[in-house]
Amino acid sequence: MTTRITQFGRLAALGGALLLAACSASRKAAPPPPATQAPADTLLAGLLRQHPADFDSVLRNAATWGVQVLYTRIDRDAANRPRLSHHSYALNPDRYFYPASTVKLPVAALALQRLQELKGTGADRNSTLITEAATPRQTAVYNDPSSPDGRPTVAQYIRKILLVSDNDAYNRLYEFLGQEYINRELQRRGYDSVQIVHRLNIFLPEAENRAANPVRLLDSSGRLLHRKPLERSGMVYHVRHDSAGTGFYRGDSLVRAPFDFSKKNRLPLRDLHSILISLILPEAVPERQRFRISEDDRAFLLDYISRWPRESDYPAYDSSYKDTYSKLLLYGGEAPAIDGVRVYNKEGDAYGFLIDAAYIVDKAQGIEFFLSAVISCNPDGIYNDDRYAYRVGFRFLQRLGEVLLEHERARPRERKADLGGLPR
């Protein structure tokens, strides 16, 4: 989320700009996994209409703003087993949005899965992960000053991803897994529309993004546990025609043509929503959708996905990282935390797109629900000009979370959920 830090100062001039260039549809997507089949209904639309001052300016132009929302209600039976019901607003898997940092969530889960597959070698999330370089554009990593003992590990990279959405940490897990492993495993879970095909915050040719660095896993004494050589992905992807806007900057030159996203990462909202559900409530999704990770690793991931940055010692973050820095739904990335409420989420923001997928919990009241949303904030339809109306988007996502929390607190339920097993 480093992009957002530099953009707050530019938002005032954009004010409440309400126009966004429409995105073109991508290829026909595969049917959604069962966990996120959301019938067309009026529940979300009705809730939003009850708050015209907060939502009308966007909802009158919902297609222009590219708004999509998924809400999953959770009811528990007498044995505390969850029953899910899904509701959507303007959900359109064919409409492309750039997923930004949300791709880090499935990559973090798959890194833990890969370690589980390597369990016989003695490797785990705290093993030393040495990243080497085998091409001129690759970089090596032999230490990590943010860890207690200076060792780079999968665990430490995941902490940095979930606490402050660190881009380099994601890149190292992308290299640890390799592009082919990531996409093959997601396809096996039914996510045929997903393509995670590049590193973040570093622009490399397609061939370089297909090349995954050599890595070594070592135990605490430096003994080799596992070695992966340089890998080149041979994945063949569905041809895409994802583009958006009316123009973009190439260097200092404005090109009057839609911006081509067809070679960039793709993660539709319904799939992101489903991935989060499968990690929080694996028992509520079909077995084929679950990640093969241990309960200890899942608890570790859930712990850090809900922490405020100040709740971490290694890595340590100063007060410039507000508690709700990575929480867009309910907090807009800066509002004070609500006492007793925890948010387990992964957000993203880039190219004017704001996305968040969240599991919002009030343990004391036994309230829990899933909420995912995307909104585009590009008033002039021009990409790479750093003129995105994020203020409108942050406010929209904050109020969306607040309205759904109010709705959940007010709605009758047969029994209060027992959430004592959740970390934090």
Side-chain angles (χ1 to χ4, degrees):
M1 295 226 348
T2 52
T3 303
R4 179 156 54 88
I5 297 173
T6 64
Q7 288 165 335
F8 274 114
R10 302 185 179 96
L11 297 178
L14 295 173
L18 298 177
L19 192 61
L20 177 70
C23 300
S24 68
S26 67
R27 71 173 183 88
K28 185 66 177 177
T36 56
Q37 288 179 348
D41 58 53
T42 60
L43 189 150
L44 281 170
L47 286 174
L48 298 178
R49 280 197 297 268
Q50 293 173 23
H51 302 271
D54 295 310
F55 301 119
D56 268 12
S57 62
V58 170
L59 297 185
R60 281 197 302 265
N61 301 282
T64 299
W65 282 89
V67 171
Q68 298 183 50
V69 184
L70 267 168
Y71 158 56
T72 295
R73 175 181 290 178
I74 307 169
D75 291 288
R76 301 274 181 165
D77 66 14
N80 204 45
R81 291 179 298 233
R83 184 177 72 253
L84 310 184
S85 56
H86 308 286
H87 304 272
S88 67
Y89 177 85
L91 185 65
N92 183 359
D94 287 343
R95 179 164 186 163
Y96 179 83
F97 63 87
Y98 181 69
S101 292
T102 61
V103 300
K104 297 170 185 174
L105 179 62
V107 168
L110 287 171
L112 294 173
Q113 174 180 289
R114 183 64 184 129
L115 289 171
Q116 187 69 17
E117 294 168 355
L118 295 171
K119 186 177 180 180
T121 69
D124 60 27
R125 66 177 185 262
N126 296 309
S127 301
T128 305
L129 176 60
I130 300 299
T131 305
E132 299 173 329
T135 74
R137 304 290 290 272
Q138 292 181 350
T139 57
V141 177
Y142 298 103
N143 57 70
D144 185 347
S146 74
S147 67
D149 55 9
R151 292 184 306 114
T153 66
V154 167
Q156 192 69 352
Y157 288 140
I158 290 177
R159 291 185 185 101
K160 291 191 280 189
I161 284 171
L162 300 181
L163 288 164
V164 299
S165 204
D166 186 279
N167 288 324
D168 181 72
Y170 158 81
N171 291 344
R172 299 310 172 181
L173 296 187
Y174 177 95
E175 293 159 356
F176 166 60
L177 295 170
Q179 186 190 110
E180 188 160 335
Y181 180 90
I182 293 168
N183 289 279
R184 185 179 68 244
E185 289 299 314
L186 291 174
Q187 288 180 8
R188 284 177 175 172
R189 283 157 182 78
Y191 303 118
D192 294 332
S193 295
V194 177
Q195 292 182 15
I196 299 179
V197 294
H198 60 80
R199 298 166 176 84
L200 296 177
N201 206 38
I202 177 172
F203 298 97
L204 298 172
E206 180 180 351
E208 285 290 339
N209 278 316
R210 285 180 173 270
N213 303 43
V215 300
R216 288 179 289 137
L217 286 167
L218 314 174
D219 67 13
S220 56
S221 68
R223 181 175 63 90
L224 179 67
L225 301 174
H226 172 72
R227 182 192 300 273
K228 177 182 77 69
L230 172 72
E231 289 182 344
R232 296 188 185 275
S233 171
M235 288 286 290
V236 177
Y237 299 102
H238 295 288
V239 176
R240 293 161 42 198
H241 302 283
D242 295 320
S243 62
T246 58
F248 62 94
Y249 274 91
R250 182 183 291 136
D252 295 329
S253 300
L254 176 60
V255 179
R256 289 291 184 181
F259 187 57
D260 184 12
F261 285 95
S262 60
K263 295 294 186 180
K264 294 189 179 295
N265 291 333
R266 190 177 199 275
L267 178 54
L269 191 71
R270 62 177 184 183
D271 295 333
L272 174 63
H273 191 77
S274 182
I275 286 167
L276 182 65
I277 291 174
S278 74
L279 291 168
I280 303 289
L281 298 176
E283 70 275 26
V285 305
E287 187 173 355
R288 74 183 182 100
Q289 286 182 251
R290 302 171 196 169
F291 293 90
R292 299 187 302 275
I293 61 178
S294 69
E295 278 303 303
D296 182 64
D297 280 343
R298 193 174 71 87
F300 164 77
L301 189 149
L302 266 57
D303 181 10
Y304 278 91
I305 205 172
S306 70
R307 285 197 189 200
W308 314 129
R310 64 175 166 82
E311 292 175 328
S312 171
D313 294 324
Y314 295 97
Y317 297 101
D318 61 27
S319 59
S320 65
Y321 291 93
K322 297 181 179 180
D323 280 354
T324 57
Y325 171 78
S326 292
K327 314 296 181 184
L328 304 188
L329 288 163
L330 194 61
Y331 297 120
E334 61 177 0
I338 301 170
D339 188 44
V341 174
R342 300 296 289 198
V343 179
Y344 301 71
N345 78 304
K346 189 69 199 81
E347 89 308 324
D349 63 276
Y351 292 110
F353 296 100
L354 294 178
I355 317 102
D356 200 2
Y359 172 62
I360 299 173
V361 171
D362 184 332
K363 280 189 179 181
Q365 297 192 40
I367 290 170
E368 56 176 340
F369 62 99
F370 290 95
L371 182 62
S372 298
V374 58
I375 181 171
S376 290
C377 310
N378 190 357
D380 59 7
I382 305 298
Y383 287 91
N384 294 334
D385 63 354
D386 205 21
R387 291 177 57 83
Y388 302 120
Y390 281 128
R391 176 179 294 174
V392 176
F394 288 136
R395 179 61 178 166
F396 180 90
L397 294 178
Q398 179 181 343
R399 285 298 294 139
L400 179 64
E402 290 172 346
V403 166
L404 266 295
L405 180 59
E406 292 165 6
H407 171 72
E408 280 285 329
R409 283 176 165 170
R411 81 172 178 90
R413 43 174 48 85
E414 285 188 33
R415 55 186 57 83
K416 188 167 72 171
D418 178 2
L419 304 174
L422 282 173
R424 296 286 150 184

